[in-house]
Amino acid sequence: GDSKLFESVQGKVIKIIKDFDGNNYESDEDVLASYNIVKNSSYAMVKNNLVLKINNSIIDLNDLGYELLLSDEMIKSVSLLDSAFSKVITVENLTSFYAMNDKSAVIIYLAGFHNHTKQSLLLKIYEKYPNAEYLHFSDIDAGGFLIFNNLVEKTGIPFKPYRMNVDELKSNLNNLKRLTENDIKRLNKMKNDEKFSYFHDVISYMLENGVKLEQELLD
């Protein structure tokens, strides 16, 4: 409730989290974002398939034909009306969000670690549509794996990785990037951690071949 006060203790808070959290974050911003402390947390961007009632207005995203920005206050007042879709896909990268054109899915832009606004929207959707398939699409790197785990842990929604596997690496050989020393350190820590069991195969491949892949470079 006091950003100036927080700035005065931010360094200590980050150190405490790093000492006791157990994750190897790439940056101080990622440390804070994983605990929903972010500078810009007021909007969620969504497209496809949802039918929303906000006050007395009904918005069908398919009829709208564009992505929609929802603020904290809008999400609090949103009611979800019946609509037909089989999947909800969260996307880390904005370019990939715009490019994705799965007509069977609700698509939500995360911008890295999700925040309270996006979590509120996701939980509303999950409450009404618990039987949909929930997928997350991130970079195939240590940061992407960490974002996936954070999303599952903080929302309690049974997300599965989307296109974050060995086959995608093998299919995009011309777009792969080399692992940095920090990448290797983080992946070595993850490969024996049960929390990252979804990714153990792809982590082993990445370490053996020294590669990673940003999601916007996927064919």
Side-chain angles (χ1 to χ4, degrees):
D2 188 333
S3 59
K4 296 295 184 185
L5 176 60
F6 179 72
E7 286 175 5
S8 70
V9 298
Q10 177 174 311
K12 294 178 181 178
V13 171
I14 290 170
K15 185 178 186 306
I16 291 169
I17 294 174
K18 285 181 175 179
D19 286 347
F20 293 96
D21 178 276
N23 289 313
N24 185 18
Y25 295 97
E26 191 164 356
S27 68
D28 288 348
E29 280 191 0
D30 284 350
V31 173
L32 297 177
S34 70
Y35 285 84
N36 292 331
I37 304 170
V38 291
K39 292 179 179 178
N40 299 310
S41 60
S42 56
Y43 293 94
M45 192 185 303
V46 61
K47 67 179 184 179
N48 294 5
N49 291 315
L50 284 183
V51 181
L52 312 171
K53 184 176 181 181
I54 305 173
N55 295 328
N56 293 319
S57 298
I58 295 176
I59 302 171
D60 185 327
L61 294 185
N62 287 339
D63 289 343
L64 183 66
Y66 296 96
E67 64 280 351
L68 183 68
L69 281 174
L70 297 169
S71 69
D72 279 318
E73 293 304 312
M74 289 172 71
I75 291 170
K76 289 177 185 176
S77 63
V78 159
S79 298
L80 298 179
L81 305 184
D82 290 341
S83 55
F85 58 88
S86 60
K87 293 176 283 189
V88 176
I89 304 176
T90 55
V91 184
E92 175 188 347
N93 180 273
L94 185 58
T95 300
S96 299
F97 169 81
Y98 281 123
M100 186 174 287
N101 194 28
D102 189 333
K103 297 301 184 183
S104 66
V106 173
I107 303 173
I108 300 171
Y109 172 50
L110 276 195
F113 286 95
H114 77 289
N115 57 35
H116 176 74
T117 304
K118 291 154 191 167
Q119 181 173 308
S120 297
L121 178 61
L122 285 167
L123 290 174
K124 274 202 170 189
I125 296 171
Y126 184 64
E127 183 178 7
K128 185 169 179 65
Y129 299 98
N131 296 320
E133 184 179 18
Y134 287 81
L135 304 169
H136 174 69
F137 184 30
S138 264
D139 295 337
I140 306 178
D141 63 11
F145 304 151
L146 198 60
I147 288 168
F148 173 85
N149 271 25
N150 179 265
L151 182 64
V152 174
E153 291 173 0
K154 297 294 173 64
T155 65
I157 297 172
F159 279 94
K160 294 179 181 177
Y162 176 77
R163 299 187 69 181
M164 299 173 67
N165 52 52
V166 173
D167 287 342
E168 293 295 341
L169 294 176
K170 290 181 177 179
S171 299
N172 289 272
L173 294 177
N174 292 331
N175 295 325
L176 300 179
K177 293 191 173 183
R178 302 302 301 175
L179 294 178
T180 66
E181 288 186 13
N182 190 48
D183 289 331
I184 294 170
K185 179 181 177 182
R186 298 172 80 196
L187 291 170
N188 273 319
K189 189 172 182 179
M190 291 175 174
K191 72 177 182 179
N192 297 315
D193 189 336
E194 194 58 34
K195 288 194 303 182
F196 296 94
S197 57
Y198 265 126
F199 304 110
H200 283 173
D201 287 347
V202 69
I203 288 172
S204 294
Y205 181 90
M206 291 165 71
L207 288 169
E208 288 170 9
N209 294 276
V211 297
K212 61 183 178 179
L213 179 62
E214 295 177 0
Q215 65 179 145
E216 65 265 34
L217 297 178
L218 282 169
D219 287 338

